[in-house]
Coordinates of all heavy atoms in Angstrom, one line a residue:
Chain A
E1165 N 4.4 42.5 -8.0 CA 3.7 41.4 -7.2 C 3.7 41.8 -5.7 O 2.6 41.6 -5.0 CB 4.5 40.1 -7.3 CG 3.8 38.9 -6.8 CD 4.5 37.6 -7.4 OE1 5.7 37.3 -7.0 OE2 3.8 37.0 -8.2
S1166 N 4.8 42.4 -5.2 CA 4.9 42.7 -3.8 C 3.8 43.8 -3.5 O 3.1 43.7 -2.4 CB 6.3 43.1 -3.4 OG 6.6 44.3 -3.9
V1167 N 3.7 44.7 -4.3 CA 2.7 45.9 -4.0 C 1.3 45.3 -4.2 O 0.4 45.7 -3.4 CB 3.0 47.1 -5.0 CG1 1.9 48.2 -4.8 CG2 4.4 47.7 -4.7
Y1168 N 1.1 44.5 -5.1 CA -0.3 43.9 -5.2 C -0.8 43.1 -4.1 O -1.9 43.1 -3.6 CB -0.3 43.1 -6.5 CG -1.7 42.6 -6.9 CD1 -2.6 43.5 -7.4 CD2 -2.2 41.3 -6.6 CE1 -3.9 43.1 -7.7 CE2 -3.5 40.9 -6.9 CZ -4.3 41.8 -7.4 OH -5.6 41.4 -7.8
L1169 N 0.2 42.4 -3.5 CA -0.1 41.3 -2.4 C 0.0 41.8 -1.0 O -0.9 41.5 -0.2 CB 0.7 40.1 -2.6 CG 0.6 39.2 -3.8 CD1 1.7 38.2 -3.9 CD2 -0.8 38.5 -3.9
A1170 N 1.1 42.6 -0.7 CA 1.5 42.7 0.7 C 0.8 43.8 1.6 O 0.3 44.8 1.0 CB 3.0 42.8 0.7
D1171 N 0.8 43.4 2.8 CA 0.6 44.6 3.8 C 1.8 45.3 4.0 O 1.8 46.5 4.2 CB 0.2 43.9 5.2 CG -1.2 43.1 5.1 OD1 -2.2 43.6 4.5 OD2 -1.2 42.0 5.6
K1172 N 3.0 44.5 4.0 CA 4.2 45.2 4.2 C 5.2 44.7 3.2 O 5.2 43.5 3.0 CB 4.7 44.8 5.6 CG 4.4 45.8 6.7 CD 5.1 45.3 8.0 CE 4.5 45.9 9.2 NZ 5.0 45.3 10.4
V1173 N 6.0 45.6 2.7 CA 7.1 45.1 1.8 C 8.4 45.4 2.4 O 8.7 46.4 2.9 CB 7.0 45.8 0.4 CG1 8.2 45.5 -0.5 CG2 5.7 45.6 -0.3
I1174 N 9.2 44.2 2.5 CA 10.6 44.4 3.0 C 11.5 44.5 1.9 O 11.6 43.6 1.1 CB 11.0 43.1 3.8 CG1 9.8 42.6 4.7 CG2 12.3 43.3 4.6 CD1 9.6 43.4 5.9
V1175 N 12.2 45.7 1.8 CA 13.2 45.9 0.7 C 14.6 45.5 1.1 O 15.0 46.0 2.2 CB 13.1 47.3 0.2 CG1 14.0 47.4 -1.0 CG2 11.7 47.7 -0.2
M1176 N 15.2 44.6 0.4 CA 16.6 44.1 0.9 C 17.6 44.6 -0.2 O 17.3 44.9 -1.3 CB 16.6 42.6 1.0 CG 15.7 42.2 2.2 SD 15.9 40.5 2.5 CE 17.6 40.3 3.1
S1177 N 18.9 44.7 0.3 CA 20.0 45.0 -0.6 C 21.0 43.9 -0.5 O 20.9 43.1 0.5 CB 20.6 46.3 -0.2 OG 21.1 46.2 1.1
R1178 N 21.9 43.8 -1.3 CA 22.9 42.7 -1.4 C 24.3 43.2 -0.9 O 24.7 44.3 -1.0 CB 22.8 41.9 -2.6 CG 23.5 42.7 -3.8 CD 23.5 41.8 -5.0 NE 23.6 42.7 -6.2 CZ 23.2 42.2 -7.4 NH1 22.8 41.0 -7.6 NH2 23.3 43.1 -8.4
N1179 N 25.2 42.1 -0.6 CA 26.5 42.4 -0.3 C 26.8 43.5 0.8 O 27.3 44.5 0.4 CB 27.3 42.8 -1.5 CG 27.6 41.6 -2.4 OD1 27.7 40.5 -1.9 ND2 27.7 41.8 -3.7
P1180 N 26.5 43.2 2.0 CA 25.9 42.1 2.6 C 24.4 42.2 2.4 O 23.8 43.3 2.2 CB 26.3 42.2 4.1 CG 26.4 43.7 4.3 CD 26.9 44.3 3.0
G1181 N 23.6 41.0 2.6 CA 22.2 41.1 2.5 C 21.6 41.6 3.8 O 21.7 41.2 4.9
E1182 N 21.0 42.8 3.5 CA 20.4 43.6 4.7 C 19.0 44.1 4.4 O 18.7 44.2 3.2 CB 21.3 44.8 5.0 CG 22.6 44.5 5.7 CD 23.5 45.8 5.9 OE1 23.7 46.5 4.9 OE2 24.0 46.0 7.0
I1183 N 18.3 44.4 5.5 CA 17.0 45.0 5.3 C 17.3 46.5 5.0 O 17.9 47.2 5.9 CB 16.0 44.8 6.4 CG1 15.7 43.3 6.5 CG2 14.8 45.6 6.3 CD1 14.7 42.9 7.6
K1184 N 16.7 47.0 3.9 CA 17.0 48.4 3.7 C 15.9 49.3 4.1 O 16.1 50.3 4.7 CB 17.1 48.6 2.1 CG 18.0 49.7 1.7 CD 18.2 49.6 0.2 CE 18.9 50.9 -0.3 NZ 18.9 50.9 -1.6
E1185 N 14.7 48.8 3.9 CA 13.5 49.6 4.3 C 12.2 48.7 4.4 O 12.2 47.6 3.8 CB 13.2 50.6 3.1 CG 12.2 51.6 3.4 CD 12.8 53.0 3.7 OE1 13.9 53.3 3.0 OE2 12.2 53.8 4.4
I1186 N 11.4 49.0 5.3 CA 10.1 48.3 5.4 C 9.0 49.3 5.1 O 8.9 50.4 5.6 CB 9.9 47.7 6.8 CG1 11.0 46.7 7.2 CG2 8.6 47.1 7.0 CD1 11.0 46.2 8.6
I1187 N 8.2 48.9 4.1 CA 7.2 49.9 3.6 C 5.8 49.2 3.8 O 5.5 48.1 3.5 CB 7.4 50.1 2.1 CG1 8.8 50.8 2.0 CG2 6.2 50.9 1.5 CD1 9.3 50.8 0.5
N1188 N 4.9 50.1 4.5 CA 3.6 49.6 4.6 C 2.7 50.0 3.4 O 2.9 51.0 2.8 CB 2.9 50.4 5.9 CG 3.5 49.9 7.1 OD1 3.5 48.6 7.4 ND2 4.0 50.7 7.9
I1189 N 1.9 49.1 3.0 CA 1.1 49.4 1.8 C -0.3 49.4 2.3 O -1.0 48.5 2.6 CB 1.1 48.2 0.8 CG1 2.6 47.7 0.5 CG2 0.4 48.6 -0.5 CD1 3.3 48.5 -0.5
D1190 N -0.7 50.7 2.5 CA -2.1 50.9 3.1 C -3.1 51.1 1.9 O -3.5 52.2 1.6 CB -2.1 52.1 4.0 CG -1.2 51.8 5.2 OD1 -1.3 50.7 5.8 OD2 -0.5 52.7 5.6

Side-chain angles (χ1 to χ4, degrees):
Chain A
E1165 190 165 69
S1166 70
V1167 176
Y1168 187 76
L1169 295 172
D1171 295 315
K1172 263 184 201 171
V1173 175
I1174 317 287
V1175 183
M1176 292 185 68
S1177 60
R1178 69 175 158 201
N1179 285 332
E1182 283 176 311
I1183 293 180
K1184 208 169 171 189
E1185 189 110 30
I1186 298 176
I1187 296 160
N1188 288 309
I1189 314 276
D1190 296 315

